[in-house]
Amino acid sequence: MRAVRLDRAGGLEVLQIATIAVPQPGPGEVRVRHHAIGLNFIDIYQRDGLYPLTYPTGLGLEAAGVVEAVGEGVTRFAVGDRIAYANGPPGAYAEAHIVHQNRAVHLPEDIDFDTAAAAMLKGMTAEYLVRRVFHVKQGDAILVHAAAGGVGLILSQWAHSLGATVIGTVGSEAKVEMARAHGCDHVILYDGEDVTARVREITAGEGVAVVYDSVGTATLDVSLNSLRRRGMFVTYGNASGPVPPLEPLRLSRAGSLFMTRPTLFDYVATPEELDESAEALFAVIRSGAVKIEIGQTFPLDQVRQAHEALAGRKTVGSTLLMP
């Protein structure tokens, strides 16, 4: 089968298409024949070494398909089951992949493979951000950076459906309408406006209850300065580079702020948590409260072009690799 393999961390050149033996599932594992593969920023962080891997390795954490083989002791799935996963191990950039049964979920018939591959990692990230890291509720004002990105579009719609006033930031005029059509009540251009001033204007000087920041270094000051007293700064991505060390006193001086750096894997650490998160996601998709936008697809052998587009912030919504 075809698979993307890496021998080391680095730039686009380390992404190689190889022909490898079809892997066999071990105890508790299943082999998934992929129909669609999700592309995520964490893949770039793993490729370039920010999040280290052991080499040689595959890449990619998310895909949807059909179970075609099961290992000893598997009780959660059977051959022929529709399945989706979003928490690895790395190796989803392939025609098939081995995952442990406890890291995957049953895919309902009314959720297609493309939607699942586009939504699982980003959608469950949105789920834990709006329901568990900070419980967004009616009347809250929130700030979502990269609101036209994969997580941003889902998060904004979900928060809007909960009754929040959603303020989104985007990097280009082309993304303004996309963000506005997907839950953002107000959209701010990073380079065209003073984001903090605009947030204060929208919130009558108070600031927002929570900032969801996947950008990192470039938006740190804006995020902290846009929060209300006792607001929460949620930094969950590093698109512009990791957030630098932060003095705790800065949080105190800015209004006794809270700060957290969560990751999806700690919020779907058990099969029960994984199933609950996925079902909450499928429910909001089913209801129409959240629409999954697949902005672009690439064949597997164009993985370098896909990474280049994502890293250059030239994508809208979710991106898929097609095996």
Side-chain angles (χ1 to χ4, degrees), residues 46-316:
Q46 291 182 332
R47 185 205 76 210
D48 66 18
L50 179 63
Y51 297 170
L53 298 174
T54 300
Y55 303 97
T57 183
L59 196 66
L61 300 173
E62 173 183 45
V66 174
V67 176
E68 65 174 12
V70 300
E72 182 183 353
V74 170
T75 58
R76 192 168 158 84
F77 297 99
V79 171
D81 283 353
R82 290 161 47 86
I83 190 173
Y85 64 90
N87 57 342
Y93 291 7
E95 293 177 333
H97 190 34
I98 301 293
V99 295
H100 195 277
Q101 63 175 341
N102 291 341
R103 290 192 175 192
V105 301
H106 286 274
L107 184 60
E109 291 290 341
D110 58 352
I111 306 293
D112 63 69
F113 293 115
D114 287 6
T115 297
M120 283 290 291
L121 193 146
K122 301 172 189 70
M124 291 194 301
T125 296
E127 182 276 320
Y128 83 77
L129 289 175
V130 301
R131 295 174 77 230
R132 292 187 281 162
V133 168
F134 183 92
H135 181 66
V136 175
K137 60 187 183 303
Q138 177 82 31
D140 284 338
I142 74 170
L143 178 61
V144 179
H145 288 303
V151 174
L153 288 176
I154 298 172
L155 195 160
S156 297
Q157 293 177 84
W158 204 324
H160 183 82
S161 75
L162 296 172
T165 297
V166 182
I167 306 169
T169 63
V170 297
S172 68
E173 288 281 1
K175 295 182 177 181
V176 170
E177 287 308 314
M178 175 68 78
R180 189 170 283 127
H182 291 79
C184 287
D185 300 285
H186 307 273
V187 183
I188 304 171
L189 272 169
Y190 292 120
D191 299 328
E193 301 179 69
D194 181 327
V195 175
T196 297
R198 185 78 180 100
V199 168
R200 294 287 173 183
E201 178 186 349
I202 293 167
T203 60
E206 182 178 10
V208 293
V210 60
V211 175
Y212 294 112
D213 191 338
S214 62
V215 177
T217 300
T219 49
L220 172 62
D221 291 339
V222 165
S223 293
L224 294 177
N225 294 337
S226 296
L227 284 162
R228 73 185 187 193
R229 185 177 290 110
R230 301 192 303 276
M232 179 174 284
F233 172 44
V234 182
T235 171
Y236 71 98
N238 321 284
S240 68
V243 170
L246 191 65
E247 287 289 340
L249 274 175
R250 185 170 179 187
L251 302 176
S252 172
R253 291 169 181 151
S256 298
L257 304 180
F258 296 88
M259 174 180 173
T260 184
R261 197 350 178 150
T263 179
L264 171 64
F265 310 116
D266 287 325
Y267 282 83
V268 291
T270 67
E272 293 76 19
E273 288 176 337
L274 176 62
D275 286 344
E276 184 178 349
S277 183
E279 184 46 49
L281 171 63
F282 296 151
V284 294
I285 293 173
R286 227 178 255 122
S287 73
V290 170
K291 295 179 175 60
I292 304 301
E293 292 291 341
I294 300 172
Q296 45 284 310
T297 63
F298 296 83
L300 186 62
D301 59 7
Q302 291 183 12
V303 63
R304 292 183 181 181
Q305 293 93 318
H307 268 233
E308 184 176 33
L310 185 61
R313 300 176 73 179
K314 297 175 183 176
T315 61
V316 174

Side-chain angles (χ1 to χ4, degrees), residues 32-45:
V32 185
R33 179 61 59 170
H34 293 155
H35 285 238
I37 303 159
L39 189 72
N40 297 282
F41 252 102
I42 191 172
D43 305 345
I44 294 176
Y45 305 151

